[in-house]
Amino acid sequence: MYAWVARYNADGPDALDDRPGRGRKGPLTDDEPQRLKARLLAGPTEADGVCTLRGEDFRRILHDEFGVVRSLQDVYDLLHRLGFEPLRPRPQHPGGDAEAQAAFKKVSSSGSLPSPSHIPAGESRSGSRPRPASARREC
């Protein structure tokens, strides 16, 4: 608390702005994020031994080529900062018939049926009948 008061007294309100160089440094130096991005856009190499790069592969590339060890979640966060998004393919049943699925998609409706715009007062769906407000009980 006293540090920012001293800064204000010494240099005025401009001294209270955030100063550069604070916080934890990133895992890569200034030019390495672009090198990593170019490496990932080039796709897997023969040395990778896979046809598609996954999170663990990115983690191995970071370790082997950049000397950076990070958790899998940190790798995903870094990829997100670099502009990459994970691919999430839709699951397909191995015994599914593609022609039957295409035919079903053509004839099926595009969603649920619309709700009625107005429900008349006499047709309440609450389960019990409403009592008139002006009804009187006689004892």
Side-chain angles (χ1 to χ4, degrees):
M1 179 171 145
Y2 295 110
W4 65 265
V5 172
R7 282 180 22 214
Y8 178 81
N9 289 337
D11 298 322
D14 293 333
L16 299 180
D17 291 337
D18 287 337
R19 294 181 287 176
R22 302 180 64 83
R24 186 173 135 191
K25 302 292 184 216
L28 302 173
T29 61
D30 294 338
D31 65 325
E32 287 180 335
Q34 294 309 317
R35 281 186 33 223
L36 175 63
K37 189 172 184 176
R39 165 65 170 91
L40 299 180
L41 288 174
T45 62
E46 199 170 301
D48 291 328
V50 294
C51 60
T52 303
L53 294 173
R54 298 178 317 231
E56 284 295 333
D57 301 316
F58 295 134
R59 198 171 168 207
R60 182 188 42 76
I61 290 170
L62 269 176
H63 178 265
D64 294 347
E65 298 179 19
F66 295 89
V68 174
V69 177
R70 289 289 184 250
S71 70
L72 190 57
Q73 184 60 51
D74 284 342
V75 170
Y76 285 126
D77 293 341
L78 175 63
L79 291 173
H80 183 73
R81 285 192 304 272
L82 291 175
F84 291 97
E85 292 292 327
L87 294 177
R88 295 183 182 105
R90 294 185 59 119
Q92 298 289 326
H93 192 280
D97 182 7
E99 292 176 13
Q101 291 173 1
F104 176 77
K105 288 178 184 177
K106 288 181 183 177
V107 298
S108 66
S109 64
S110 63
S112 60
L113 297 174
S115 298
S117 60
H118 176 69
I119 299 174
E123 297 181 23
S124 172
R125 297 182 181 170
S126 65
S128 63
R129 295 184 151 261
R131 295 183 185 169
S134 61
R136 291 179 50 186
R137 284 186 159 179
E138 295 192 21
C139 298

